């Protein structure tokens, strides 16, 4: 009688709740879907800015040895800088991923290599860009242009020749690598600082030398870098 009716009603209510929860679960986006959506959105923003000419992207095929380049990271919140040290034609279309065809020297922060010391590394342009457009930093721009550009994207200073920029970048490479003895590895490392010894200062030093604020990059000298990028 009455008890049976209550049980049936309870079961119906539980079934309805289960169906509701299942329907709600289907409507809620999964974590991987959210990540995919965010990634797609970032690429769409990048393409829009590329077309509008607001991030000064340059085709990989137009890069030259000695170019100061940068790539945006973390939703265009900061950019990561490096120096192109080698470019060569590739018959199989692997220029971006091949170290032999297009390679870049950059300054890794401590978070990438442990401790308080940064480390110089040579990578392919594909690894350097991490899926983002590659932009070129321009030098000897008029003062008016400089004030209307994002910090770190251009400079009014006179640049050194491209071969000199390449030599400066290569001179800082960790030639000993992981097999170097501890004392050698310590000598090769460079102390990293978020504000006055980062990757932008490294690239600027390669291009303009003393005008960057430091005369020897592998030293205790520091200089404020306006980009203040974490890596």
């Amino acid at each position: 009688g009455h008890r049976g009716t209550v049980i049936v009603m309870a079961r119906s209510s539980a079934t309805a709740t289960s169906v509701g929860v299942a329907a709600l679960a289907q409507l809620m986006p999964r974590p991987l879907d959210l990540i995919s959506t965010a990634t797609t959105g970032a690429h769409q923003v990048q393409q829009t800015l590329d077309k509008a000419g607001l991030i000064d992207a340059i085709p990989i095929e137009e890069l030259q040895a000695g170019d100061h380049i940068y790539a945006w990271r973390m939703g265009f919140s900061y950019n990561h800088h490096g120096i192109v040290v080698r470019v060569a034609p590739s018959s199989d279309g692997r220029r971006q991923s091949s170290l032999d065809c297009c390679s870049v020297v950059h300054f890794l922060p401590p978070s990438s290599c442990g401790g308080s010391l940064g480390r110089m590394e040579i990578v392919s342009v594909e690894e350097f860009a991490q899926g983002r457009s590659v932009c070129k930093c321009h030098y000897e721009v008029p003062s008016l242009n400089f004030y209307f550009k994002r910090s770190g994207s251009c400079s009014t200073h006179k640049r050194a020749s491209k071969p000199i920029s390449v030599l400066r970048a290569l001179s800082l490479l960790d030639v000993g690598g992981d097999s170097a003895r501890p004392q050698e590895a310590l000598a090769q490392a460079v102390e990293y600082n978020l504000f006055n010894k980062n990757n932008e200062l490294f690239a600027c030093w390669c291009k303009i030398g003393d005008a960057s604020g430091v005369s020897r990059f592998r030293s205790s000298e520091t200089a404020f870098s306006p980009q203040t990028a974490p890596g």
Side-chain angles (χ1 to χ4, degrees):
H2 179 69
R3 182 177 180 183
T5 302
V6 171
I7 293 175
V8 171
M9 290 178 63
R11 288 177 177 173
S12 299
S13 177
T15 301
T17 301
S18 299
V19 172
V21 171
L24 183 61
Q26 291 180 350
L27 292 175
M28 292 179 64
R30 293 172 297 179
L32 290 179
D33 292 336
L34 290 174
I35 294 173
S36 177
T37 301
T39 302
T40 302
H43 283 298
Q44 290 175 344
V45 170
Q46 173 185 315
Q47 292 172 358
T48 300
L49 294 177
D50 277 349
K51 292 178 180 178
L54 296 178
I55 62 173
D56 206 18
I58 181 173
I60 301 300
E61 296 73 21
E62 296 181 15
L63 290 177
Q64 298 179 13
D67 281 345
H68 171 178
I69 61 174
Y70 60 92
W72 291 97
R73 303 281 171 86
M74 291 182 66
F76 302 97
S77 60
Y78 73 93
N79 45 38
H80 184 70
H81 298 252
I83 296 291
V84 179
V85 294
R86 174 183 168 83
V87 292
S90 174
S91 58
D92 58 2
R94 295 182 62 252
R95 183 171 183 178
Q96 294 190 37
S97 59
S98 172
L99 195 62
D100 293 330
C101 295
C102 189
S103 49
V104 180
V105 173
H106 66 150
F107 186 19
L108 287 173
S111 58
S112 301
C113 45
S116 62
L117 298 174
R119 187 178 181 85
M120 301 297 167
E121 183 183 54
I122 185 168
V123 296
S124 68
V125 69
E126 181 180 63
E127 185 176 348
F128 172 84
Q130 295 187 2
R132 296 298 185 90
S133 295
V134 171
C135 305
K136 180 179 176 180
C137 184
H138 297 280
Y139 286 82
E140 301 178 44
V141 302
S143 297
L144 184 62
N145 291 24
F146 175 78
Y147 288 115
F148 281 97
K149 289 284 188 178
R150 171 79 182 257
S151 177
S153 65
C154 64
S155 171
T156 58
H157 289 290
K158 181 178 177 61
R159 64 182 180 275
S161 66
K162 292 188 175 182
I164 291 296
S165 299
V166 170
L167 287 173
R168 284 172 175 163
L170 292 175
S171 72
L172 295 174
L173 275 179
D174 300 328
V175 293
D178 295 334
S179 60
R181 289 177 294 180
Q183 60 269 30
E184 292 177 345
L186 184 62
Q188 293 166 359
V190 179
E191 187 170 0
Y192 184 93
N193 186 284
L194 174 64
F195 298 103
N196 53 32
K197 204 68 173 284
N198 60 20
N199 57 80
E200 184 192 5
L201 181 63
F202 153 70
C204 288
W205 176 79
C206 291
K207 296 296 292 185
I208 60 178
D210 292 356
S212 66
V214 296
S215 58
R216 292 177 60 249
F217 195 80
R218 196 184 292 279
S219 69
S220 59
E221 297 178 65
T222 60
F224 178 71
S225 179
Q227 180 58 35
T228 64

PDB file of all heavy atoms in Angstrom, residues 167-193:
ATOM      1  N   LEU A 167      78.905  35.638 -33.630  1.00  0.00           N
ATOM      2  CA  LEU A 167      80.091  35.279 -32.854  1.00  0.00           C
ATOM      3  C   LEU A 167      79.874  35.516 -31.363  1.00  0.00           C
ATOM      4  O   LEU A 167      80.291  34.701 -30.529  1.00  0.00           O
ATOM      5  CB  LEU A 167      81.303  36.069 -33.349  1.00  0.00           C
ATOM      6  CG  LEU A 167      81.875  35.652 -34.702  1.00  0.00           C
ATOM      7  CD1 LEU A 167      82.967  36.620 -35.150  1.00  0.00           C
ATOM      8  CD2 LEU A 167      82.426  34.229 -34.638  1.00  0.00           C
ATOM      9  N   ARG A 168      79.229  36.618 -31.018  1.00  0.00           N
ATOM     10  CA  ARG A 168      78.958  36.897 -29.609  1.00  0.00           C
ATOM     11  C   ARG A 168      78.054  35.832 -29.004  1.00  0.00           C
ATOM     12  O   ARG A 168      78.286  35.368 -27.874  1.00  0.00           O
ATOM     13  CB  ARG A 168      78.315  38.279 -29.471  1.00  0.00           C
ATOM     14  CG  ARG A 168      79.283  39.444 -29.631  1.00  0.00           C
ATOM     15  CD  ARG A 168      78.563  40.779 -29.669  1.00  0.00           C
ATOM     16  NE  ARG A 168      79.497  41.896 -29.715  1.00  0.00           N
ATOM     17  CZ  ARG A 168      79.164  43.136 -30.071  1.00  0.00           C
ATOM     18  NH1 ARG A 168      77.907  43.412 -30.394  1.00  0.00           N
ATOM     19  NH2 ARG A 168      80.071  44.089 -30.085  1.00  0.00           N
ATOM     20  N   ALA A 169      77.018  35.447 -29.741  1.00  0.00           N
ATOM     21  CA  ALA A 169      76.098  34.428 -29.231  1.00  0.00           C
ATOM     22  C   ALA A 169      76.794  33.085 -29.058  1.00  0.00           C
ATOM     23  O   ALA A 169      76.656  32.415 -28.026  1.00  0.00           O
ATOM     24  CB  ALA A 169      74.901  34.293 -30.166  1.00  0.00           C
ATOM     25  N   LEU A 170      77.572  32.686 -30.068  1.00  0.00           N
ATOM     26  CA  LEU A 170      78.262  31.397 -30.009  1.00  0.00           C
ATOM     27  C   LEU A 170      79.333  31.376 -28.927  1.00  0.00           C
ATOM     28  O   LEU A 170      79.625  30.319 -28.358  1.00  0.00           O
ATOM     29  CB  LEU A 170      78.889  31.079 -31.370  1.00  0.00           C
ATOM     30  CG  LEU A 170      77.908  30.800 -32.516  1.00  0.00           C
ATOM     31  CD1 LEU A 170      78.665  30.611 -33.825  1.00  0.00           C
ATOM     32  CD2 LEU A 170      77.056  29.565 -32.213  1.00  0.00           C
ATOM     33  N   SER A 171      79.911  32.539 -28.623  1.00  0.00           N
ATOM     34  CA  SER A 171      80.962  32.593 -27.613  1.00  0.00           C
ATOM     35  C   SER A 171      80.436  32.271 -26.217  1.00  0.00           C
ATOM     36  O   SER A 171      81.219  31.944 -25.313  1.00  0.00           O
ATOM     37  CB  SER A 171      81.610  33.981 -27.595  1.00  0.00           C
ATOM     38  OG  SER A 171      80.731  34.953 -27.028  1.00  0.00           O
ATOM     39  N   LEU A 172      79.129  32.347 -26.029  1.00  0.00           N
ATOM     40  CA  LEU A 172      78.541  32.089 -24.716  1.00  0.00           C
ATOM     41  C   LEU A 172      77.997  30.674 -24.563  1.00  0.00           C
ATOM     42  O   LEU A 172      77.525  30.301 -23.500  1.00  0.00           O
ATOM     43  CB  LEU A 172      77.406  33.091 -24.459  1.00  0.00           C
ATOM     44  CG  LEU A 172      77.822  34.557 -24.356  1.00  0.00           C
ATOM     45  CD1 LEU A 172      76.590  35.445 -24.242  1.00  0.00           C
ATOM     46  CD2 LEU A 172      78.732  34.779 -23.165  1.00  0.00           C
ATOM     47  N   LEU A 173      78.053  29.892 -25.633  1.00  0.00           N
ATOM     48  CA  LEU A 173      77.516  28.532 -25.558  1.00  0.00           C
ATOM     49  C   LEU A 173      78.281  27.694 -24.545  1.00  0.00           C
ATOM     50  O   LEU A 173      79.494  27.851 -24.367  1.00  0.00           O
ATOM     51  CB  LEU A 173      77.575  27.854 -26.925  1.00  0.00           C
ATOM     52  CG  LEU A 173      76.422  28.124 -27.880  1.00  0.00           C
ATOM     53  CD1 LEU A 173      76.655  27.381 -29.194  1.00  0.00           C
ATOM     54  CD2 LEU A 173      75.087  27.702 -27.273  1.00  0.00           C
ATOM     55  N   ASP A 174      77.564  26.786 -23.898  1.00  0.00           N
ATOM     56  CA  ASP A 174      78.167  25.892 -22.901  1.00  0.00           C
ATOM     57  C   ASP A 174      78.856  24.749 -23.627  1.00  0.00           C
ATOM     58  O   ASP A 174      78.288  23.675 -23.821  1.00  0.00           O
ATOM     59  CB  ASP A 174      77.093  25.344 -21.957  1.00  0.00           C
ATOM     60  CG  ASP A 174      76.380  26.459 -21.219  1.00  0.00           C
ATOM     61  OD1 ASP A 174      77.013  27.479 -20.952  1.00  0.00           O
ATOM     62  OD2 ASP A 174      75.189  26.303 -20.935  1.00  0.00           O
ATOM     63  N   VAL A 175      80.097  24.977 -24.033  1.00  0.00           N
ATOM     64  CA  VAL A 175      80.803  23.994 -24.856  1.00  0.00           C
ATOM     65  C   VAL A 175      81.053  22.691 -24.114  1.00  0.00           C
ATOM     66  O   VAL A 175      81.193  21.637 -24.725  1.00  0.00           O
ATOM     67  CB  VAL A 175      82.145  24.575 -25.356  1.00  0.00           C
ATOM     68  CG1 VAL A 175      81.893  25.704 -26.319  1.00  0.00           C
ATOM     69  CG2 VAL A 175      83.006  25.051 -24.186  1.00  0.00           C
ATOM     70  N   GLY A 176      81.104  22.728 -22.793  1.00  0.00           N
ATOM     71  CA  GLY A 176      81.358  21.512 -22.028  1.00  0.00           C
ATOM     72  C   GLY A 176      80.151  20.604 -21.932  1.00  0.00           C
ATOM     73  O   GLY A 176      80.275  19.400 -21.766  1.00  0.00           O
ATOM     74  N   GLY A 177      78.964  21.208 -22.019  1.00  0.00           N
ATOM     75  CA  GLY A 177      77.742  20.427 -21.920  1.00  0.00           C
ATOM     76  C   GLY A 177      77.591  19.742 -20.582  1.00  0.00           C
ATOM     77  O   GLY A 177      78.221  20.099 -19.591  1.00  0.00           O
ATOM     78  N   ASP A 178      76.747  18.709 -20.533  1.00  0.00           N
ATOM     79  CA  ASP A 178      76.491  17.987 -19.289  1.00  0.00           C
ATOM     80  C   ASP A 178      77.690  17.174 -18.829  1.00  0.00           C
ATOM     81  O   ASP A 178      77.784  16.786 -17.668  1.00  0.00           O
ATOM     82  CB  ASP A 178      75.288  17.052 -19.472  1.00  0.00           C
ATOM     83  CG  ASP A 178      74.004  17.828 -19.719  1.00  0.00           C
ATOM     84  OD1 ASP A 178      73.939  18.982 -19.266  1.00  0.00           O
ATOM     85  OD2 ASP A 178      73.109  17.285 -20.370  1.00  0.00           O
ATOM     86  N   SER A 179      78.626  16.916 -19.745  1.00  0.00           N
ATOM     87  CA  SER A 179      79.778  16.091 -19.388  1.00  0.00           C
ATOM     88  C   SER A 179      80.914  16.913 -18.781  1.00  0.00           C
ATOM     89  O   SER A 179      81.935  16.370 -18.375  1.00  0.00           O
ATOM     90  CB  SER A 179      80.306  15.363 -20.639  1.00  0.00           C
ATOM     91  OG  SER A 179      80.713  16.306 -21.619  1.00  0.00           O
ATOM     92  N   ALA A 180      80.727  18.233 -18.744  1.00  0.00           N
ATOM     93  CA  ALA A 180      81.789  19.092 -18.205  1.00  0.00           C
ATOM     94  C   ALA A 180      81.981  18.825 -16.716  1.00  0.00           C
ATOM     95  O   ALA A 180      81.058  18.474 -15.991  1.00  0.00           O
ATOM     96  CB  ALA A 180      81.429  20.560 -18.420  1.00  0.00           C
ATOM     97  N   ARG A 181      83.216  19.011 -16.251  1.00  0.00           N
ATOM     98  CA  ARG A 181      83.498  18.876 -14.833  1.00  0.00           C
ATOM     99  C   ARG A 181      82.797  19.998 -14.075  1.00  0.00           C
ATOM    100  O   ARG A 181      82.553  21.070 -14.633  1.00  0.00           O
ATOM    101  CB  ARG A 181      85.010  18.915 -14.604  1.00  0.00           C
ATOM    102  CG  ARG A 181      85.728  17.671 -15.107  1.00  0.00           C
ATOM    103  CD  ARG A 181      87.221  17.783 -14.926  1.00  0.00           C
ATOM    104  NE  ARG A 181      87.783  18.844 -15.766  1.00  0.00           N
ATOM    105  CZ  ARG A 181      89.078  19.143 -15.789  1.00  0.00           C
ATOM    106  NH1 ARG A 181      89.928  18.476 -15.016  1.00  0.00           N
ATOM    107  NH2 ARG A 181      89.526  20.114 -16.569  1.00  0.00           N
ATOM    108  N   PRO A 182      82.471  19.775 -12.797  1.00  0.00           N
ATOM    109  CA  PRO A 182      81.705  20.782 -12.032  1.00  0.00           C
ATOM    110  C   PRO A 182      82.281  22.190 -12.106  1.00  0.00           C
ATOM    111  O   PRO A 182      81.556  23.148 -12.296  1.00  0.00           O
ATOM    112  CB  PRO A 182      81.750  20.217 -10.608  1.00  0.00           C
ATOM    113  CG  PRO A 182      81.870  18.751 -10.795  1.00  0.00           C
ATOM    114  CD  PRO A 182      82.736  18.565 -12.016  1.00  0.00           C
ATOM    115  N   GLN A 183      83.605  22.315 -11.959  1.00  0.00           N
ATOM    116  CA  GLN A 183      84.210  23.647 -11.992  1.00  0.00           C
ATOM    117  C   GLN A 183      84.088  24.286 -13.376  1.00  0.00           C
ATOM    118  O   GLN A 183      83.936  25.499 -13.512  1.00  0.00           O
ATOM    119  CB  GLN A 183      85.680  23.614 -11.555  1.00  0.00           C
ATOM    120  CG  GLN A 183      86.591  22.733 -12.405  1.00  0.00           C
ATOM    121  CD  GLN A 183      86.672  21.318 -11.884  1.00  0.00           C
ATOM    122  OE1 GLN A 183      85.716  20.826 -11.298  1.00  0.00           O
ATOM    123  NE2 GLN A 183      87.813  20.682 -12.086  1.00  0.00           N
ATOM    124  N   GLU A 184      84.128  23.443 -14.435  1.00  0.00           N
ATOM    125  CA  GLU A 184      83.983  23.961 -15.790  1.00  0.00           C
ATOM    126  C   GLU A 184      82.541  24.399 -16.034  1.00  0.00           C
ATOM    127  O   GLU A 184      82.289  25.437 -16.637  1.00  0.00           O
ATOM    128  CB  GLU A 184      84.386  22.893 -16.804  1.00  0.00           C
ATOM    129  CG  GLU A 184      85.876  22.567 -16.797  1.00  0.00           C
ATOM    130  CD  GLU A 184      86.206  21.451 -17.755  1.00  0.00           C
ATOM    131  OE1 GLU A 184      85.260  20.753 -18.195  1.00  0.00           O
ATOM    132  OE2 GLU A 184      87.387  21.262 -18.076  1.00  0.00           O
ATOM    133  N   ALA A 185      81.616  23.586 -15.563  1.00  0.00           N
ATOM    134  CA  ALA A 185      80.202  23.910 -15.739  1.00  0.00           C
ATOM    135  C   ALA A 185      79.855  25.212 -15.028  1.00  0.00           C
ATOM    136  O   ALA A 185      79.091  26.038 -15.533  1.00  0.00           O
ATOM    137  CB  ALA A 185      79.329  22.774 -15.205  1.00  0.00           C
ATOM    138  N   LEU A 186      80.432  25.413 -13.843  1.00  0.00           N
ATOM    139  CA  LEU A 186      80.173  26.635 -13.082  1.00  0.00           C
ATOM    140  C   LEU A 186      80.732  27.849 -13.817  1.00  0.00           C
ATOM    141  O   LEU A 186      80.112  28.916 -13.864  1.00  0.00           O
ATOM    142  CB  LEU A 186      80.793  26.532 -11.692  1.00  0.00           C
ATOM    143  CG  LEU A 186      80.512  27.705 -10.735  1.00  0.00           C
ATOM    144  CD1 LEU A 186      79.016  27.816 -10.478  1.00  0.00           C
ATOM    145  CD2 LEU A 186      81.264  27.511  -9.431  1.00  0.00           C
ATOM    146  N   ALA A 187      81.892  27.686 -14.429  1.00  0.00           N
ATOM    147  CA  ALA A 187      82.509  28.793 -15.155  1.00  0.00           C
ATOM    148  C   ALA A 187      81.715  29.151 -16.401  1.00  0.00           C
ATOM    149  O   ALA A 187      81.686  30.300 -16.832  1.00  0.00           O
ATOM    150  CB  ALA A 187      83.942  28.423 -15.543  1.00  0.00           C
ATOM    151  N   GLN A 188      81.053  28.149 -16.989  1.00  0.00           N
ATOM    152  CA  GLN A 188      80.304  28.375 -18.213  1.00  0.00           C
ATOM    153  C   GLN A 188      78.923  28.978 -17.936  1.00  0.00           C
ATOM    154  O   GLN A 188      78.344  29.626 -18.800  1.00  0.00           O
ATOM    155  CB  GLN A 188      80.118  27.050 -18.969  1.00  0.00           C
ATOM    156  CG  GLN A 188      81.420  26.483 -19.510  1.00  0.00           C
ATOM    157  CD  GLN A 188      81.263  25.048 -19.929  1.00  0.00           C
ATOM    158  OE1 GLN A 188      80.187  24.473 -19.801  1.00  0.00           O
ATOM    159  NE2 GLN A 188      82.331  24.451 -20.434  1.00  0.00           N
ATOM    160  N   ALA A 189      78.414  28.764 -16.746  1.00  0.00           N
ATOM    161  CA  ALA A 189      77.072  29.227 -16.423  1.00  0.00           C
ATOM    162  C   ALA A 189      77.047  30.740 -16.235  1.00  0.00           C
ATOM    163  O   ALA A 189      78.069  31.374 -16.003  1.00  0.00           O
ATOM    164  CB  ALA A 189      76.560  28.529 -15.168  1.00  0.00           C
ATOM    165  N   VAL A 190      75.858  31.314 -16.346  1.00  0.00           N
ATOM    166  CA  VAL A 190      75.683  32.751 -16.161  1.00  0.00           C
ATOM    167  C   VAL A 190      74.556  32.955 -15.158  1.00  0.00           C
ATOM    168  O   VAL A 190      73.492  32.351 -15.267  1.00  0.00           O
ATOM    169  CB  VAL A 190      75.314  33.441 -17.490  1.00  0.00           C
ATOM    170  CG1 VAL A 190      75.100  34.939 -17.272  1.00  0.00           C
ATOM    171  CG2 VAL A 190      76.391  33.211 -18.539  1.00  0.00           C
ATOM    172  N   GLU A 191      74.804  33.799 -14.160  1.00  0.00           N
ATOM    173  CA  GLU A 191      73.778  34.046 -13.163  1.00  0.00           C
ATOM    174  C   GLU A 191      72.609  34.777 -13.800  1.00  0.00           C
ATOM    175  O   GLU A 191      72.782  35.797 -14.462  1.00  0.00           O
ATOM    176  CB  GLU A 191      74.342  34.863 -12.007  1.00  0.00           C
ATOM    177  CG  GLU A 191      73.352  35.005 -10.851  1.00  0.00           C
ATOM    178  CD  GLU A 191      73.976  35.595  -9.606  1.00  0.00           C
ATOM    179  OE1 GLU A 191      75.183  35.901  -9.642  1.00  0.00           O
ATOM    180  OE2 GLU A 191      73.266  35.744  -8.610  1.00  0.00           O
ATOM    181  N   TYR A 192      71.418  34.231 -13.600  1.00  0.00           N
ATOM    182  CA  TYR A 192      70.215  34.789 -14.214  1.00  0.00           C
ATOM    183  C   TYR A 192      69.492  35.699 -13.230  1.00  0.00           C
ATOM    184  O   TYR A 192      69.419  35.413 -12.041  1.00  0.00           O
ATOM    185  CB  TYR A 192      69.276  33.645 -14.622  1.00  0.00           C
ATOM    186  CG  TYR A 192      68.028  34.087 -15.352  1.00  0.00           C
ATOM    187  CD1 TYR A 192      67.996  34.127 -16.742  1.00  0.00           C
ATOM    188  CD2 TYR A 192      66.887  34.458 -14.655  1.00  0.00           C
ATOM    189  CE1 TYR A 192      66.854  34.524 -17.417  1.00  0.00           C
ATOM    190  CE2 TYR A 192      65.740  34.858 -15.322  1.00  0.00           C
ATOM    191  CZ  TYR A 192      65.733  34.893 -16.700  1.00  0.00           C
ATOM    192  OH  TYR A 192      64.597  35.297 -17.359  1.00  0.00           O
ATOM    193  N   ASN A 193      68.963  36.805 -13.741  1.00  0.00           N
ATOM    194  CA  ASN A 193      68.157  37.710 -12.928  1.00  0.00           C
ATOM    195  C   ASN A 193      66.973  38.166 -13.759  1.00  0.00           C
ATOM    196  O   ASN A 193      67.131  38.568 -14.913  1.00  0.00           O
ATOM    197  CB  ASN A 193      68.984  38.918 -12.471  1.00  0.00           C
ATOM    198  CG  ASN A 193      68.204  39.811 -11.508  1.00  0.00           C
ATOM    199  OD1 ASN A 193      67.332  40.568 -11.920  1.00  0.00           O
ATOM    200  ND2 ASN A 193      68.524  39.711 -10.230  1.00  0.00           N
TER     201      ASN A 193
END
